[in-house]
Amino acid sequence: MDKQIYLDHSATTYVKEEVLQEMIPYFTEKFGNASSIYSIGRESKKAIEDAREKVARALHCQPKEIFFTASGTEADNWAIKGVAFANRNKGNHIITSAIEHHAVLHTCQYLEKEGFEVTYLPVDEYGMVSLEKLQEAITDKTILISIMFANNEIGTIQPIKEIGRIAKEKGIYFHTDAVQAVGNVPIDVDEYNIDMLSLSAHKFYGPKGVGALYVRKGVKLHNFMQGGAQERGRRAGTENVPGIVGLGKAIELATRDIEGYNSKLRALRDRLIKEVLEKIPYTRLNGHPTQRLPGNANFSFEFIEGESLLLMLDMKGIAASSGSACTSGSLDPSHVLLAIGLPHEIAHGSLRITFGEENTEEDVDYVLEVLPPIVERLREMSPLYEEVKRGVKNV
Amino acid sequence: MYSEKVMDHFMNPRNVGEIENADGVGQVGNPKCGDIMKMYLKIENGTIVDAKFRTFGCGAAIATSSMATEMVKGKTVDEALKITNKAVAEALDGLPPVKMHCSNLAEEAIKAAIQDYYKRHGMDWGEGDVCTGCCDSCHVEEE
Ligand SMILES: Cc1ncc(COP(=O)(O)O)c(C=O)c1O
């Protein structure tokens, strides 16, 4: 196989060379424990604080409001459980959405078992949360609203500013999982009234296994890890110094020119969407037409199943993903695709393509060259398509 | 994740299509669960002389359909009825555990096509319908 095109940047990204170069010394000569007082310890400490400042600059907050974690998942867990258990005396109600990442959904489900009540707001056909429904869901027991900034599957970007305003008016904490948004959408935690925000380095050309949680000063939150005094005692555990350094460098690079990066990705995305919808019949775009991540295209091709599509694309050197049950290891297709109202059989036939920095117009050309015949080939094998062609089934 | 043999049968499926004037046609599965298998059999003097399929489903579903059609060809109806999902999976050098239900579907499709053959020839099938078209009937081994 000669050609290799990576089109799954929402799953993860490679580490940029400049990021890697900054990380390397902290594995080798600068290996000191940041809690030690001698010079290589102090150097590690300084590196962590520099990274913290970079994250703070990217989010427009104070460095002391940033806490490093071992992943985006950990940041989500910490924010939600931390607020829930610390504010139990005020209420036991949490509002989130039906299309959150499992890091949020499963955390909320866990809390339900612990006696909390959770409202999972439905979304419209584009994956948008309704502000009216949010208003209606709020009770005097509501202690937390957790709504993702941008969806990882369909790319829909939520009205975060409006949600933040509602939360502030009602005096309810607002957490947002911004794992997919950082580097793609400009973020200002004050302007958006965000109280807590999760991010993860491997989605913006940083290393895997390191993330951060922004916690607005004054938010009442239980500590997530008990142990040493790291992260001012709030998240114990010897710091992943190279990872944190990598996160810092990566967020600095990712937020340097968001508009430039955005417009490049948007051009690739929009051409792909337009031509796929033109070239391939019985196809729909999932997610919002405009309020979506710049690199995200998510399609459903009727009468075929997503995993077989991915396998055939892989044979042609294209790496992408799907919301099909077969790729999720469960029997049900993606909860996000079901939440936007797709019938099961159409949700099974989804394809997510997420562009990144290294992609080019030639990559789009190549997808447009290989994708239509693959879809056609699978449809020719499908008894559902045969029924449509024979006119037995109406679509 | 998949064996070379599965990938071979997935990328180059044998016997895709349909048989005009087939002696038995069986369809199992449900689009809701993400897989449907339709099998066509040509049967002469109690022996399966040709088999074709159409499948909507994952890589394993397509590969098992392909393998199942290969396996039934040349067999008598009685022999074909004895083909188990395990035998289909083994012929493909195994399937990942989460994909075993796909081989179940192949066994069911063979049975459904032969049941149809019995019905068309006024023969007594005896048992109930092989596939209820409900996910659970084909996905029995999953959590
Ligand atoms: C929206 C969203 N939240 C959370 C996560 C989890 O982040 P991590 O992989 O760092 O645990 C991801 C990534 O898979 C994601 O896309």
Side-chain angles (χ1 to χ4, degrees), chain A residues 25-321:
Chain A
Y26 295 94
F27 286 108
T28 53
E29 71 263 29
K30 301 183 180 182
F31 62 88
N33 187 318
S35 305
S36 306
I37 60 158
Y38 40 77
S39 87
I40 58 166
R42 292 198 308 271
E43 253 184 286
S44 290
K45 179 83 185 150
K46 165 107 181 25
I48 293 171
E49 295 320 313
D50 285 351
R52 203 184 309 280
E53 260 177 48
K54 287 176 181 160
V55 179
R57 222 170 290 142
L59 302 179
H60 301 98
C61 65
Q62 297 299 315
K64 61 177 189 298
E65 295 173 308
I66 298 297
F67 298 90
F68 292 109
T69 65
S71 63
T73 299
E74 183 189 317
D76 285 340
N77 269 262
W78 182 12
I80 296 168
K81 290 180 202 165
V83 160
F85 289 122
N87 297 276
R88 224 172 180 164
N89 58 331
K90 285 199 216 125
N92 69 342
H93 182 228
I94 295 167
I95 299 173
T96 186
S97 84
I99 61 164
E100 297 296 313
H101 190 271
H102 285 132
V104 169
L105 280 185
H106 289 169
T107 301
C108 288
Q109 284 161 13
Y110 160 80
L111 287 174
E112 283 185 282
K113 291 199 196 102
E114 294 294 311
F116 288 88
E117 278 175 31
V118 181
T119 301
Y120 300 91
L121 293 176
V123 292
D124 68 13
E125 59 179 310
Y126 302 116
M128 280 284 180
V129 162
S130 134
L131 297 174
E132 290 78 57
K133 291 216 169 80
L134 170 64
Q135 297 264 24
E136 284 163 23
I138 294 172
T139 71
D140 52 13
K141 289 215 171 86
T142 310
I143 49 174
L144 175 68
I145 296 170
S146 178
I147 305 279
M148 72 200 312
F149 211 118
N151 184 267
N152 44 307
E153 290 187 43
I154 56 175
T156 302
I157 299 171
Q158 300 297 336
I160 292 300
K161 199 170 175 175
E162 288 74 15
I163 296 171
R165 190 182 307 133
I166 292 170
K168 190 177 185 183
E169 275 166 24
K170 305 274 183 180
I172 299 165
Y173 290 141
F174 174 38
H175 165 252
T176 186
D177 174 342
V179 168
Q180 293 290 341
V182 172
N184 286 309
V185 187
I187 298 174
D188 183 323
V189 290
D190 283 338
E191 187 189 333
Y192 290 0
N193 289 308
I194 295 166
D195 295 311
M196 284 170 293
L197 177 147
S198 307
L199 58 88
S200 178
H202 73 101
K203 309 289 187 181
F204 48 85
Y205 311 96
K208 294 168 184 57
V210 60
L213 181 66
Y214 155 76
V215 183
R216 179 179 294 282
K217 187 171 178 287
V219 169
K220 234 176 112 197
L221 180 77
H222 276 181
N223 296 343
F224 191 63
M225 288 283 179
Q226 277 67 42
Q230 295 89 355
E231 300 297 280
R232 303 207 316 285
R234 305 206 60 182
R235 198 287 184 187
T238 299
E239 302 88 341
N240 170 9
V241 184
I244 290 169
V245 167
L247 188 157
K249 184 67 187 174
I251 205 167
E252 180 183 63
L253 296 176
T255 50
R256 185 177 281 170
D257 178 21
I258 291 183
E259 197 31 58
Y261 181 67
N262 254 325
S263 57
K264 184 195 141 151
L265 262 51
R266 224 182 278 128
L268 299 176
R269 175 198 75 183
D270 289 346
R271 183 160 81 91
L272 180 79
I273 291 174
K274 181 168 169 285
E275 297 200 23
V276 163
L277 293 177
E278 276 169 12
K279 283 194 159 116
I280 309 180
Y282 305 115
T283 299
R284 56 164 281 161
L285 175 72
N286 297 316
H288 198 281
T290 54
Q291 295 297 105
R292 71 187 300 137
L293 288 171
N296 174 295
N298 187 311
F299 304 101
S300 281
F301 302 105
E302 287 189 58
F303 325 121
I304 64 172
E305 190 280 330
E307 189 214 60
S308 41
L309 180 59
L310 293 187
L311 288 170
M312 288 207 173
L313 286 170
D314 181 40
M315 298 306 275
K316 294 280 184 190
I318 295 175
S321 75

Side-chain angles (χ1 to χ4, degrees), chain A residues 303-305 307-308 311-312 315 326 329 331 333 344-345 348 377-378 380-384 386-387 390, chain B residues 1-2 7 10-11 13 16 18 31-34 36 38 40 54-59 62 99 139 142:
Chain A
F303 325 121
I304 64 172
E305 190 280 330
E307 189 214 60
S308 41
L311 288 170
M312 288 207 173
M315 298 306 275
C326 283
L331 288 182
H344 274 72
E345 57 268 36
H348 282 295
R377 181 150 181 243
L378 287 167
E380 287 301 331
M381 271 189 234
S382 168
L384 299 171
E386 186 216 342
E387 287 172 17
R390 279 192 294 133
Chain B
M1 167 174 90
Y2 287 132
M7 284 310 290
F10 169 67
M11 290 306 290
V16 176
E18 63 191 87
K32 250 191 97 171
C33 332
I36 299 182
K38 188 168 186 181
Y40 300 80
R54 277 216 168 87
T55 291
F56 159 77
C58 62
I62 289 171
K99 298 288 184 177
H139 294 139
E142 303 233 23

